[in-house]
Amino acid sequence: MDSNKVMHRRRPEALLLRPVTSTKDRKAYRIPTVCLEVNKVISLLEGPLTATLKERHLFTLKKLLQRSQNGFILKELSAIGRILNICAERAKAHPEYVSVLCDALKICGLPFLKERASDEIAYAYDVKEFLSVMGCLMRVPSVEVRHELCSSLKSFYSHVAPRHLLDGMGGPAATPAASLNSSRRFSRLSSRFHPSNPGYRLQVLEQSCVAETMVLSMATLEDQPAVRLLVLHTLQMMTSTSDANCAQILRARGAETVCLTMNQADPSGQALFRSSEVLWNLLERGCREAVTQQLSTMQCILALKEAFLHQLLRGSRQYDLQLRNDLLVITTLIAQIPKSPLIESLFAKQLVVFVTFPELKSHNPLVRNLKLTYNSEDFEMKTLLLNWLVCMSKDLSALQLFREGRVMLALLTLAKAPRNHGNGQSPRGGAGRHWSSGQQEALQLQALATLALVGPLLVEDYTSCQGNTCLLLLLEWCAGQDTYFGQGHSFHGAGGRGSKKAQMRYCVRALRSMTALEDELLSQDLCDQGAIGQLLGVLMQMEDGTPEEDQDPIGLEIKSDIQLVLSALCETDLHRKELFGAEGVEMAVHFLKMSPEKFHSGLGHNRLILSTVDCVWSCIVGCYTTEDYFLAREGVFLLLDLLSWSPRCMRAVVLATLLDLCDNPKTLSHVMTWTGSGGRTAPALLLLLWREEEAELGVGRDQHGRISDPTRPLLSCYQAVSDTSFSAGQPSPAVLDLSENLRAKVFSIFCKLGFHDLHGLSTTDHVTLSIVKRYLDFKVGEVWGEVTQELALEGVRPVRPDAAALEAMRRIAEDTASRVAEEQSAILERQEKDELTQEEMVYNEIKSRQRQQELNTEAWDQYVSRTSDYKVLQEVRSQREKTMDLSRSKSKPDSGVRHPSENFVGRVLNLDSAGELTLERVPLRGVAQQAGGPPGGREPEYFSTVSVT
């Protein structure tokens, strides 16, 4: 025997359950050697006789791990997890098991091995339980175990298997000297196993509770900063690629846990960065509302405040500045939550100080030694602070902080027109470092956008800082002709590159926000400074530009906003309407002539035409001077043209404007004179709108437009019968119907025009007009019906006189509807009779024309026969001579001066005493009687079928 070799006693590799007679049966009933050895290890660890044999346990475990050095087999994972649990429990009392756990966790970092392709699906549950057991190893109070566990989990995200696993399971540890016997022993088994798919472990990891366990374990890592950093790094990797992991972490309140531990002692200085990255991943891939809710506690906000101030006041590297900005973004998201304790923690007060720096001088200790480098990170912080200001303005309790911090003055300072922008000097004329021209422009635009949102909340500060003057001066600069090359790189500068259009856009928007408050002092201050004339001049200057500007959405937005500002200024003041004057009327008429094709362009022409109508309603209607000029410029015709082609959403505004204009007596003649396409008159157009509105509301009408149900002459499908009564302050459906559709406005306009002597109406229009005329009566009956219904729902029985009155109102309403229906039927009957009469006249005319054609044909045939046959001509001539002889009178002529008259085919020639010949038309019968008639009582033929030319 060789002394260098050690002989080991080997047991049979398999135990037969029963005798077999063939190789096939042997394979079917054989217990796999690998599974058998793992089960034996468990029996060795848990057996009552072998539970205390620590040295033998460690020796056996090392042999098992050496056999599995290329990775654990999928079907073994359930037993391996049980072994790891046993070792973890014993490691607390026996540190020797720690090395076994570390070696096992190193192997866990390798891909699992599968024998068949279906093993990944068949053992998915075992893998999930095994990974959960791995995560629970964080309870072992050993730095080495926790370190190896984090390393193994991070190796899951290396999607490529190690090269030695792909080259035949050799492995770096399989050296000839150390593992020759082991490799020979398991060579047959190893050739049958292959690494699992790279993403398999990640998919199962998402289904396990490892992420949640890692978060919960951070509470035990206060004295282990290196391990805590590894856990944060692991959580960062787990949250960067998986939504399911983010959801698990949030269920364990991971955002709150990470935030509370971000400021703990960390020699490496990376814990804050890792924590912010985890929070960012949770915000991006998880539920943002859940993250912000967890971070909105007082403890978390204090932690964020400490981290932000530390990075702001002490950080100087670009890495520190970027981390500072990330924390500020997280704070901004928290500010969007109502009632977040940002104000109670004094964090908001400190941020307000940074908002106004460096525009305003302050003696606050926070900014006394604060120096900005004006680089991209500082610029980003400034924009984030302005954004935070907007989010924080939703909390009304923060307005006092804004007043104390002079936020309005800082915004107006930023919003001022740049000076000396061409030579690169400071906007305030200083010689030190400052924002670049592009940064200054972006801050100016964002300050204007912030002013439009915050200004209405700080009216007193806006007035004391002369905000109107600042905005009007900026608007004058925007309308100036001096050269300015806008950068247009920022979000707010879109569309304004190379011009001042972006500044004008946000300046006008800020004015619109302030005038929408309807504050009389603000409006009067604007008008005293000539805002109406200035705005009209800017508007017409833009309209006189190049044709390409008409297709610019930003230019269209500016025009519509200017019109809204003018409407807000002139709506309630007659003197301001006079200031609007002829120039304003020309502007409104110009925009009312817009082509209908542009309305659906999608560029904003619809908003422009709507704001124009609102401008007419607010700035022209109510002042007779401007109204007369508007009528002279055919403004009513333009409004009716707009009404004829506008969509349904705009008709209410146009009709309301027309209704108010009809208070001017001169308007009615313009309305009655208008004729649209197809010869439609204004009353016909209004009745058409009425029918379309009722069709949209689903009002009951028959095919001819008559009332189909006298009990519901106006009731729409939206006025359904309710089983509950209405509250005292809630209007009933009948009252709401007056303002929610066009019928009340159409009825009011007809009350101005009258219901009689309306030209251009068809029978259908007359049928509709009979309903319009009784609209008020129907609406009164509808309201009384709702009163009756309300009393019934509330269980109130009216007294007898009241009940009789309600019944009388119901009968009157139904009788009125019945009479209107009868009137409509009579109108339709008259129309039917007229149509029959017209049809008969048409048929008679057709018959007359047909008879005339027959006579013409017969006369032509006779003419042809006379001219083509001489015998026929002779016969006709002889017949004519006989007729002439018979027509001569047989009596002798008188001796007086009277001469006998000679008859010609219905006409008589008379020779008077003066010798003049006159032609008279005499009835044929009278001529025959005068001539004495032919002998034999036969009437002569005075008419021939031959035409005489």
Side-chain angles (χ1 to χ4, degrees):
M1 178 181 293
D2 191 357
S3 60
N4 294 330
K5 294 184 179 180
V6 179
M7 299 298 296
H8 297 280
R9 182 180 178 182
R10 298 183 60 184
R11 296 183 179 181
E13 293 183 358
L15 296 177
L16 296 180
L17 299 178
R18 58 174 178 157
V20 295
T21 58
S22 65
T23 306
K24 180 178 180 181
D25 295 337
R26 187 179 299 112
K27 291 182 179 179
Y29 292 95
R30 181 184 296 271
I31 299 176
T33 304
V34 178
C35 295
L36 180 63
E37 292 185 354
V38 173
N39 291 331
K40 287 184 177 181
V41 172
I42 295 176
S43 299
L44 178 65
L45 294 174
E46 294 182 342
L49 301 178
T50 60
T52 58
L53 303 177
K54 182 174 65 174
E55 291 78 5
R56 187 174 179 182
H57 295 169
L58 295 175
F59 177 79
T60 305
L61 290 174
K62 289 180 180 180
K63 295 293 288 184
L64 177 63
L65 295 178
Q66 185 179 5
R67 177 187 62 82
S68 304
Q69 61 184 344
N70 294 324
F72 290 122
I73 303 173
L74 288 176
K75 59 185 177 182
E76 285 185 351
L77 290 180
S78 179
I80 296 294
R82 188 174 176 182
I83 293 173
L84 293 180
N85 263 332
I86 296 173
C87 295
E89 293 296 332
R90 296 186 179 182
K92 299 177 182 178
H94 304 282
E96 293 83 359
Y97 287 92
V98 171
S99 60
V100 176
L101 290 175
C102 292
D103 294 339
L105 288 175
K106 289 179 181 179
I107 298 175
C108 291
L110 301 175
F112 299 133
L113 304 179
K114 60 182 178 179
E115 185 177 5
R116 300 178 181 87
S118 60
D119 285 353
E120 293 182 352
I121 300 176
Y123 298 102
Y125 179 78
D126 294 342
V127 178
K128 181 181 71 173
E129 293 297 324
F130 175 76
L131 293 178
S132 300
V133 171
M134 277 184 59
C136 293
L137 294 180
M138 288 295 295
R139 70 184 186 275
V140 179
S142 171
V143 177
E144 293 81 5
V145 173
R146 293 172 176 175
H147 184 278
E148 291 297 337
L149 176 59
C150 294
S151 300
S152 298
L153 291 177
K154 288 191 293 183
S155 67
F156 282 20
Y157 294 89
S158 178
H159 296 290
V160 181
R163 182 175 297 277
H164 67 275
L165 296 179
L166 302 177
D167 293 340
M169 312 294 291
T175 59
S179 59
L180 180 61
N181 295 331
S182 177
S183 61
R184 288 177 179 177
R185 183 177 182 183
F186 298 104
S187 60
R188 181 175 58 87
L189 295 175
S190 299
S191 62
R192 294 187 291 113
F193 295 99
H194 306 279
S196 58
N197 295 327
Y200 175 69
R201 290 186 302 175
L202 295 179
Q203 295 177 3
V204 184
L205 181 66
E206 293 178 354
Q207 303 174 9
S208 65
C209 58
V210 176
E212 187 175 355
T213 306
M214 299 296 289
V215 171
L216 297 175
S217 65
M218 293 189 66
T220 63
L221 303 177
E222 296 182 1
D223 56 342
Q224 297 179 1
V227 177
R228 186 176 71 251
L229 184 62
L230 284 173
V231 172
L232 287 174
H233 191 195
T234 305
L235 291 175
Q236 178 186 352
M237 297 181 68
M238 297 176 71
T239 55
S240 62
T241 57
S242 173
D243 297 346
N245 289 337
C246 293
Q248 288 187 21
I249 293 174
L250 291 178
R251 282 198 299 268
R253 299 192 67 83
E256 181 180 2
T257 303
V258 171
C259 183
L260 292 177
T261 59
M262 65 168 54
N263 294 318
Q264 293 181 0
D266 176 38
S268 64
Q270 297 183 10
L272 183 59
F273 168 75
R274 299 293 181 189
S275 300
S276 65
E277 287 296 317
V278 173
L279 293 178
W280 264 106
N281 293 336
L282 292 175
L283 287 169
E284 291 179 352
R285 305 191 66 92
C287 179
R288 179 172 297 183
E289 291 76 12
V291 177
T292 52
Q293 285 291 343
Q294 293 182 19
L295 296 179
S296 60
T297 60
M298 178 64 74
Q299 293 78 9
C300 290
I301 291 178
L302 290 175
L304 287 172
K305 170 186 173 183
E306 180 183 353
F308 175 78
L309 293 179
H310 180 271
Q311 295 298 119
L312 176 65
L313 300 177
R314 300 180 183 178
S316 58
R317 298 174 300 174
Q318 185 178 7
Y319 163 83
D320 298 327
L321 301 181
Q322 291 175 352
L323 182 56
R324 172 200 65 188
N325 295 342
D326 292 343
L327 296 173
L328 185 55
V329 173
I330 296 174
T331 306
T332 303
L333 294 176
I334 298 175
Q336 297 178 0
I337 300 179
K339 299 180 180 179
S340 59
L342 283 172
I343 299 177
E344 292 80 354
S345 63
L346 300 180
F347 194 16
K349 184 175 182 180
Q350 294 173 343
L351 289 177
V352 169
V353 176
F354 299 133
V355 168
T356 59
F357 181 82
E359 286 73 30
L360 302 181
K361 295 182 179 180
S362 175
H363 300 287
N364 194 298
L366 290 174
V367 297
R368 183 176 302 171
N369 298 322
L370 179 61
K371 301 295 182 182
L372 294 180
T373 58
Y374 298 95
N375 55 12
S376 59
E377 282 75 21
D378 289 341
F379 170 73
E380 183 181 1
M381 184 191 71
K382 187 66 177 180
T383 57
L384 289 175
L385 287 171
L386 292 176
N387 188 33
W388 172 84
L389 199 67
V390 175
C391 297
M392 202 65 195
S393 63
K394 299 177 182 179
D395 189 353
L396 298 180
S397 57
L399 300 181
Q400 183 61 32
L401 295 178
F402 294 170
R403 296 188 183 96
E404 295 175 357
R406 300 182 298 170
V407 170
M408 182 58 61
L409 180 58
L411 292 177
L412 291 175
T413 303
L414 282 173
K416 288 182 179 180
R419 292 176 296 178
N420 299 327
H421 58 272
N423 51 15
Q425 295 182 2
S426 172
R428 296 192 302 269
R433 303 185 66 178
H434 54 83
W435 304 113
S436 64
S437 59
Q439 293 174 342
Q440 180 66 31
E441 178 189 358
L443 290 176
Q444 179 192 23
L445 294 175
Q446 189 169 359
L448 287 171
T450 306
L451 181 63
L453 298 173
V454 180
L457 303 175
L458 302 173
V459 180
E460 295 180 358
D461 294 354
Y462 178 83
T463 305
S464 61
C465 296
Q466 297 181 351
N468 287 336
T469 304
C470 179
L471 292 180
L472 291 179
L473 289 175
L474 179 61
L475 183 62
E476 182 181 1
W477 173 80
C478 294
Q481 300 299 326
D482 55 325
T483 305
Y484 177 80
F485 298 99
Q487 302 294 325
H489 291 157
S490 64
F491 168 78
H492 298 93
R497 185 172 179 82
S499 65
K500 309 173 187 177
K501 188 173 293 184
Q503 285 82 355
M504 181 180 291
R505 177 189 185 185
Y506 286 98
C507 179
V508 174
R509 184 178 294 184
L511 286 173
R512 186 195 67 186
S513 299
M514 300 308 300
T515 54
L517 297 174
E518 297 182 358
D519 188 288
E520 185 59 29
L521 294 178
L522 281 177
S523 301
Q524 188 61 43
D525 181 54
L526 281 173
C527 295
D528 292 342
Q529 298 187 51
I532 295 178
Q534 183 177 354
L535 290 172
L536 286 174
V538 171
L539 187 58
M540 296 312 297
Q541 178 183 349
M542 293 182 63
E543 191 62 20
D544 294 337
T546 60
E548 289 77 10
E549 293 183 357
D550 191 47
Q551 303 297 325
D552 183 17
I554 297 179
L556 295 173
E557 179 186 347
I558 296 173
K559 295 174 187 177
S560 60
D561 286 345
I562 290 177
Q563 290 180 344
L564 291 176
V565 173
L566 292 172
S567 300
L569 291 176
C570 302
E571 185 175 3
T572 58
D573 192 279
L574 183 61
H575 175 63
R576 297 171 192 169
K577 293 183 179 182
E578 294 176 350
L579 293 177
F580 189 77
E583 184 180 1
V585 172
E586 291 289 345
M587 178 272 298
V589 169
H590 172 76
F591 287 109
L592 285 176
K593 293 179 180 180
M594 183 186 303
S595 174
E597 299 176 354
K598 296 181 179 180
F599 188 83
H600 300 285
S601 63
L603 300 175
H605 292 89
N606 53 343
R607 291 184 54 193
L608 181 59
I609 190 64
L610 188 60
S611 61
T612 303
V613 176
D614 183 68
C615 196
V616 172
W617 196 359
S618 303
C619 303
I620 296 177
V621 176
C623 178
Y624 285 133
T625 304
T626 54
E627 281 185 2
D628 292 344
Y629 191 75
F630 184 70
L631 294 176
R633 296 291 295 158
E634 299 182 351
V636 173
F637 294 164
L638 296 175
L639 288 177
L640 288 171
D641 290 337
L642 175 62
L643 184 63
S644 63
W645 61 260
S646 63
R648 185 173 180 270
C649 58
M650 282 189 58
R651 293 173 180 173
V653 181
V654 180
L655 279 175
T657 306
L658 277 174
L659 178 59
D660 288 348
L661 271 175
C662 287
D663 291 337
N664 191 332
K666 300 178 182 179
T667 306
L668 301 180
S669 60
H670 288 258
V671 175
M672 297 301 293
T673 307
W674 178 83
T675 302
S677 60
R680 180 182 289 121
T681 60
L685 175 61
L686 295 174
L687 294 173
L688 175 63
L689 297 180
W690 179 285
R691 289 193 295 272
E692 292 179 354
E693 190 72 14
E694 287 193 337
E696 182 71 22
L697 297 174
V699 182
R701 297 286 184 264
D702 62 4
Q703 59 181 352
H704 301 292
R706 291 177 296 188
I707 297 175
S708 58
D709 187 2
T711 61
R712 303 174 59 181
L714 293 178
L715 203 62
S716 65
C717 61
Y718 301 104
Q719 295 175 251
V721 179
S722 177
D723 296 334
T724 58
S725 60
F726 301 99
S727 60
Q730 181 180 0
S732 64
V735 177
L736 286 176
D737 181 72
L738 294 172
S739 59
E740 291 181 349
N741 57 73
L742 307 178
R743 293 188 292 182
K745 298 179 178 63
V746 173
F747 169 75
S748 301
I749 293 177
F750 271 106
C751 289
K752 303 285 186 179
L753 300 177
F755 296 95
H756 304 284
D757 300 331
L758 300 175
H759 61 282
L761 300 184
S762 62
T763 303
T764 305
D765 294 334
H766 283 289
V767 171
T768 307
L769 184 62
S770 61
I771 301 176
V772 177
K773 185 164 53 176
R774 294 292 184 178
Y775 174 76
L776 186 58
D777 298 334
F778 292 153
K779 184 57 66 175
V780 171
E782 196 175 299
V783 173
W784 279 112
E786 287 185 347
V787 171
T788 305
Q789 179 186 352
E790 280 288 308
L791 294 176
L793 290 175
E794 295 179 1
V796 178
R797 187 176 64 181
V799 296
R800 186 174 300 174
D802 292 342
L806 291 174
E807 181 64 21
M809 294 301 300
R810 184 188 64 80
R811 288 198 306 269
I812 291 173
E814 292 183 3
D815 293 342
T816 303
S818 299
R819 288 197 303 270
V820 172
E822 293 175 358
E823 180 183 351
Q824 291 175 331
S825 299
I827 293 173
L828 294 174
E829 289 177 1
R830 286 198 300 269
Q831 180 197 11
E832 185 177 358
K833 291 180 180 179
D834 293 341
E835 290 177 352
L836 290 175
T837 303
Q838 293 178 1
E839 184 178 359
E840 185 177 356
M841 292 176 61
V842 170
Y843 278 121
N844 290 334
E845 184 178 358
I846 294 174
K847 289 170 62 177
S848 174
R849 290 182 179 180
Q850 186 68 24
R851 179 58 181 167
Q852 185 65 34
Q853 290 178 1
E854 293 176 357
L855 292 175
N856 292 336
T857 304
E858 184 179 356
W860 173 254
D861 292 340
Q862 292 180 3
Y863 175 75
V864 171
S865 62
R866 290 198 313 270
T867 56
S868 60
D869 193 348
Y870 183 73
K871 293 181 179 180
V872 175
L873 181 60
Q874 291 293 330
E875 291 177 359
V876 172
R877 183 175 181 180
S878 61
Q879 183 65 29
R880 185 176 298 174
E881 290 177 354
K882 290 179 181 179
T883 304
M884 294 175 61
D885 292 340
L886 292 175
S887 64
R888 293 191 180 97
S889 176
K890 300 300 182 180
S891 60
K892 295 180 179 180
D894 297 337
S895 60
V897 296
R898 184 172 181 178
H899 299 278
S901 61
E902 210 173 318
N903 298 332
F904 292 90
V905 192
R907 298 184 181 272
V908 181
L909 290 176
N910 293 327
L911 187 61
D912 56 11
S913 60
E916 295 181 356
L917 204 63
T918 60
L919 181 64
E920 295 180 355
R921 184 176 182 88
V922 181
L924 299 180
R925 182 174 298 177
V927 174
Q929 292 176 358
Q930 182 181 0
R938 189 166 56 89
E939 292 287 339
E941 281 188 351
Y942 291 98
F943 291 96
S944 175
T945 57
V946 181
S947 60
V948 180
T949 59

